[in-house]
Amino acid sequence: MKKSIFMAALLMSLVFILAACGGGNASDPSEESTEDSNGEATEGSEASADAEGSASGSVTGDGSSTVAPILELINEDFNAEYPDVQVSIGVSGTGGGFEKFVAGETDFQNASREIKEEEISALEEAGIDFTEFKVANDGLTVAVNTENDFVDYLTFEELQTIYSGEAETWNDVRDEFPEEEITAYAPDQSHGTHDFFKEAVMEDGDITAELNQDTNVISQSVTSDANSIGFFGYNFYMVNQDNLKGVPVQGPDNEEPVEVKEETVMSYDYPLARPLFVYAKNESVENNESFMQFMEFTLNNASSAAEEAGYVALTEEEMQEQKDKLEDFK
Amino acid sequence: MELINKNEIGKKLSGRLLLNKSMKYIFLLCTLVGLVVLATLLIDTIIDGWSYLTTDFFTNFSSSRPENAGIKGALIGTLWLMATTAPIAIILSVGTALYLEEYAPKNKITDFIKINISNLAGVPSVVFGLLGLTLFVRMAGLGNSVLAAALTMSLMILPVIVVASQEAIRSVPSSIREASIGMGATKWQTITRVILPASLPGIITGIILSLSRAIGETAPLVVIGIPTILLFTPTGVFDTFSALPMQIFSWVKMPNPEFQSITAAAILVLLFILFLMNSVAIYIRNKYSKRF
């Protein structure tokens, strides 16, 4: 008899605990979730309510780890100018970030590749309109060890032989190369860089190489392994220029090999140059004043931030085009 | 006739002694492998990161410029996360343990629940992250807030605390339990005044050890999508935040080599907190363990 009373007491206390948790949820405006909370910058109820009162706001973004350093620099300067706006940026990778963008959880999405067809249709289905902004250029850099004195340039076909796993020695790549075994390194599938290389060079064939999630490991491996080859973003090449040898690349549209450097990336003569994107949710641009300020600040400072982060700025005309796109919202 | 054939023993003795001695060194080697690796890692990290442990490092937010990078956001975020995780995890798991040990009828269903709780302890943390993402971040609409992460972490460490608490409660001698009942105490009185105080050291040790697991856990936070680039600290449990392991995870991937040293400094801070928590656990265990 007594036992059951205590059971009831325990149950009651559990109910209280659950009620407390439930109360927490109820006070959250995003309970009615996906459709309604889109206008809200963050799900945080109290904070954003307070924030709205003091004419400040919050901005959330997520996405590529390649683009993140640029946005981090921009955010630092933005914060100095607009200290009341709370900006939070996640680094879930391009693919992971798009998932959140589709779920309506973020105002903007950093991407190291163009949005995919299926992501566009997912966004349409979710009723989210977006605008694509280019913020910088990256030159995917192919690099070999500094001791490697025979590789003067590589064509797309040669890169394909190496990264398809077809070539076992450098001699299999080109006849004048020595009979030395090749070790190829590449970023793994979580990187937009991997996808970009696969599409641009491999014609969508699989990359057979030592894949790594940490790009630092790739640059270090190429630095220490005499017969290795690897590729990564231009920023990793910029900080490791003394320890690595960048290889000029000849694409199908090039008459001769092109060296990776600021001018060739900016002009897209370099065949592995690619734009870096920020995708903005239209609704947030229109309704969230802080986000509009943030985007304006981003485009105004993207070029200097890109260079500081080790990337290449857009040409002035191109940057003006991006600014015009934002101007259209006003 | 001699009872002991010394000759015979002498023949076998040297072999046995040798075996004895060699086993001793083999086991010593086993111990050393772990210790040496750990010491190398620790010394390497200290050499790398020590000079970066300045006051600025603690008062600055994260930055892409290595000279400005600090852990203020991540450290305060981690403290928020722990302060929110602890009460949720403690209430839920001690409650579970008390129910299972004191109230639950001894039948197959209870056994089934107990087995499953033990199994839960072995589920990879990334799975808890996925659970948290679906349940708390998306369905409950908590976003990547402190509360969503704390609930996820609580679920993750719950089984460990439950098992530790169950052990502690079970180890309370039935004599004092019976004595309490015999004195006319109700079951609730017995639990709050006799069983809980007696089993508290074991429970607290379990709690602290699982919290120190939670503090270094990265996978669930990655899955939930905790941001690493933010220049503010949370003011409530519904705010978003960053955490030390996430900060370490994102710094280690930065191209600038100086960030490797900054990462080392952040690792030292995390290790120090871990060390502190484990010391408290050991202190409590030693202080209260000689009750019976």
Side-chain angles (χ1 to χ4, degrees):
Chain A
M1 188 58 210
K2 283 225 164 117
K3 200 172 177 181
S4 62
I5 293 171
F6 292 122
M7 284 274 260
L10 193 75
L11 272 177
M12 280 292 281
S13 61
L14 270 175
V15 168
F16 275 124
I17 293 161
L18 286 176
C21 295
N25 294 350
S27 73
D28 197 84
S30 48
E31 181 72 331
E32 313 93 274
S33 207
T34 30
E35 312 104 65
D36 292 63
S37 67
N38 282 353
E40 283 272 328
T42 43
E43 322 282 325
S45 61
E46 269 110 328
S48 54
D50 288 351
E52 274 156 29
S54 62
S56 54
S58 49
V59 173
T60 52
D62 206 321
S64 164
S65 61
T66 310
V67 189
I70 303 177
L71 265 294
E72 182 164 31
L73 286 168
I74 291 172
N75 183 34
E76 280 174 66
D77 298 335
F78 180 76
N79 186 63
E81 218 162 296
Y82 301 89
D84 292 336
V85 181
Q86 299 196 324
V87 183
S88 62
I89 306 168
V91 190
S92 306
T94 303
F98 266 120
E99 256 174 56
K100 288 182 205 274
F101 195 56
V102 171
E105 289 166 1
T106 47
D107 297 314
F108 69 92
Q109 152 70 6
N110 303 328
S112 60
R113 57 162 168 79
E114 215 161 16
I115 187 166
K116 285 182 185 167
E117 282 300 324
E118 61 254 39
E119 286 159 350
I120 295 178
S121 50
L123 281 166
E124 263 169 26
E125 220 166 278
I128 295 174
D129 293 324
F130 64 92
T131 310
E132 177 185 285
F133 295 97
K134 284 183 195 169
V135 289
N137 292 314
D138 180 23
L140 189 146
T141 307
V142 179
V144 292
N145 191 278
T146 41
E147 278 175 38
N148 184 325
D149 49 11
F150 49 86
V151 176
D152 42 1
Y153 72 94
L154 289 168
T155 64
F156 270 28
E157 291 85 56
E158 286 167 340
L159 281 171
Q160 216 173 352
T161 3
I162 295 172
Y163 276 100
S164 61
E166 218 179 293
E168 279 174 19
T169 65
W170 279 102
N171 189 256
D172 299 335
V173 181
R174 202 186 297 166
D175 287 340
E176 64 226 58
F177 289 169
E179 282 275 354
E180 300 280 359
E181 210 173 307
I182 301 186
T183 340
Y185 295 94
D188 72 6
Q189 289 86 343
S190 71
H191 291 267
T193 315
H194 180 102
D195 296 342
F196 175 74
F197 190 85
K198 195 170 154 179
E199 204 185 303
V201 179
M202 307 299 292
E203 291 157 357
D204 277 330
D206 277 334
I207 296 177
T208 310
E210 302 243 350
L211 299 180
N212 207 300
Q213 204 262 334
D214 187 349
T215 313
N216 275 317
V217 174
I218 297 167
S219 67
Q220 279 157 17
S221 303
V222 178
T223 306
S224 58
D225 182 348
N227 289 306
S228 60
I229 183 168
F231 65 86
F232 29 73
Y234 190 60
N235 55 338
F236 279 89
Y237 175 57
M238 287 300 278
V239 293
N240 288 302
Q241 274 186 79
D242 301 337
N243 313 321
L244 294 167
K245 195 174 126 184
V247 180
V249 178
Q250 183 174 5
D253 301 331
N254 299 115
E255 281 168 15
E256 52 185 24
V258 185
E259 211 179 309
V260 57
K261 56 183 178 195
E262 207 184 311
E263 301 87 67
T264 56
V265 170
M266 202 191 259
S267 65
Y268 278 71
D269 281 337
Y270 183 66
L272 290 173
R274 58 168 176 173
L276 300 177
F277 301 97
V278 168
Y279 288 88
K281 180 155 77 177
N282 288 355
E283 200 187 331
S284 301
V285 183
E286 284 155 9
N287 301 331
N288 184 346
E289 204 186 320
S290 314
F291 184 50
M292 183 65 173
Q293 285 168 339
F294 181 76
M295 280 311 292
E296 276 187 314
F297 195 90
T298 300
L299 294 179
N300 286 334
N301 294 279
S303 296
S304 59
E307 272 163 26
E308 193 178 340
Y311 296 104
V312 178
L314 298 181
T315 58
E316 268 174 44
E317 302 91 75
E318 220 175 348
M319 186 46 89
Q320 196 52 51
E321 274 172 40
Q322 315 303 317
K323 286 178 185 167
D324 291 343
K325 272 193 226 171
L326 190 66
E327 207 58 36
D328 289 344
F329 280 98
K330 284 188 176 169
Chain B
M1 190 193 132
E2 280 181 61
L3 283 173
I4 299 166
N5 186 340
K6 281 191 177 143
N7 213 3
E8 200 61 26
I9 289 174
K11 252 192 269 167
K12 287 190 175 169
L13 197 61
S14 63
R16 286 175 180 167
L17 284 177
L18 189 71
L19 182 71
N20 200 21
K21 218 172 203 164
S22 54
M23 283 323 277
K24 178 180 145 192
Y25 286 111
I26 286 171
F27 290 144
L28 180 68
L29 201 71
C30 292
T31 318
L32 281 182
V33 168
L35 276 182
V36 167
V37 171
L38 199 68
T40 318
L41 190 77
L42 204 62
I43 292 167
D44 190 53
T45 314
I46 290 175
I47 291 173
D48 219 13
W50 190 256
S51 57
Y52 284 83
L53 288 172
T54 55
T55 11
D56 280 353
F57 186 67
F58 291 95
T59 53
N60 281 359
F61 282 102
S62 171
S63 167
S64 272
R65 303 179 177 105
E67 66 276 13
N68 294 339
I71 52 164
K72 184 180 173 188
L75 186 62
I76 293 177
T78 287
L79 296 180
W80 265 96
L81 178 62
M82 284 302 114
T84 320
T85 305
I88 300 174
I90 291 169
I91 292 172
L92 287 182
S93 39
V94 176
T96 309
L98 276 176
Y99 173 73
L100 288 177
E101 284 306 312
E102 298 297 322
Y103 295 103
K106 303 240 174 312
N107 57 23
K108 287 208 169 116
I109 299 172
T110 314
D111 284 344
F112 182 71
I113 293 173
K114 283 184 184 174
I115 290 171
N116 273 299
I117 287 177
S118 309
N119 281 343
L120 266 183
V123 171
S125 54
V126 70
V127 176
F128 283 104
L130 290 168
L131 179 75
L133 178 70
T134 323
L135 206 61
F136 304 126
V137 177
R138 298 258 158 87
M139 275 168 67
L142 292 174
N144 43 20
S145 62
V146 175
L147 187 60
L151 286 168
T152 310
M153 287 290 190
S154 305
L155 281 189
M156 189 189 79
I157 60 175
L158 185 116
V160 182
I161 308 183
V162 170
V163 172
S165 306
Q166 273 181 296
E167 290 293 332
I169 292 168
R170 218 177 294 150
S171 70
V172 175
S174 52
S175 53
I176 66 159
R177 202 183 302 241
E178 282 153 13
S180 171
I181 305 267
M183 297 288 284
T186 62
K187 185 143 194 176
W188 178 240
Q189 285 169 329
T190 308
I191 287 174
T192 50
R193 296 179 200 173
V194 177
I195 296 174
L196 269 184
S199 54
L200 211 55
I203 294 175
I204 291 181
T205 311
I207 289 168
I208 295 180
L209 289 181
S210 23
L211 282 179
S212 49
R213 181 192 164 196
I215 204 172
E217 199 57 71
T218 324
L221 297 179
V222 172
V223 177
I224 293 176
I226 299 305
T228 48
I229 304 175
L230 81 179
L231 300 170
F232 56 90
T233 51
T235 50
V237 289
F238 294 106
D239 285 358
T240 189
F241 70 109
S242 189
L244 270 177
M246 285 296 288
Q247 191 68 68
I248 291 169
F249 184 62
S250 82
W251 272 343
V252 85
K253 289 187 289 190
M254 294 290 281
N256 191 326
E258 211 176 319
F259 273 106
Q260 303 309 317
S261 307
I262 295 171
T263 311
I267 292 173
L268 286 181
V269 175
L270 186 60
L271 279 179
F272 178 74
I273 299 176
L274 268 176
F275 177 75
L276 212 66
M277 288 173 78
N278 288 348
S279 317
V280 171
I282 291 169
Y283 174 77
I284 291 174
R285 193 169 55 208
N286 289 346
K287 183 158 186 204
Y288 296 102
S289 62
K290 293 166 197 133
R291 279 208 158 172
F292 303 106

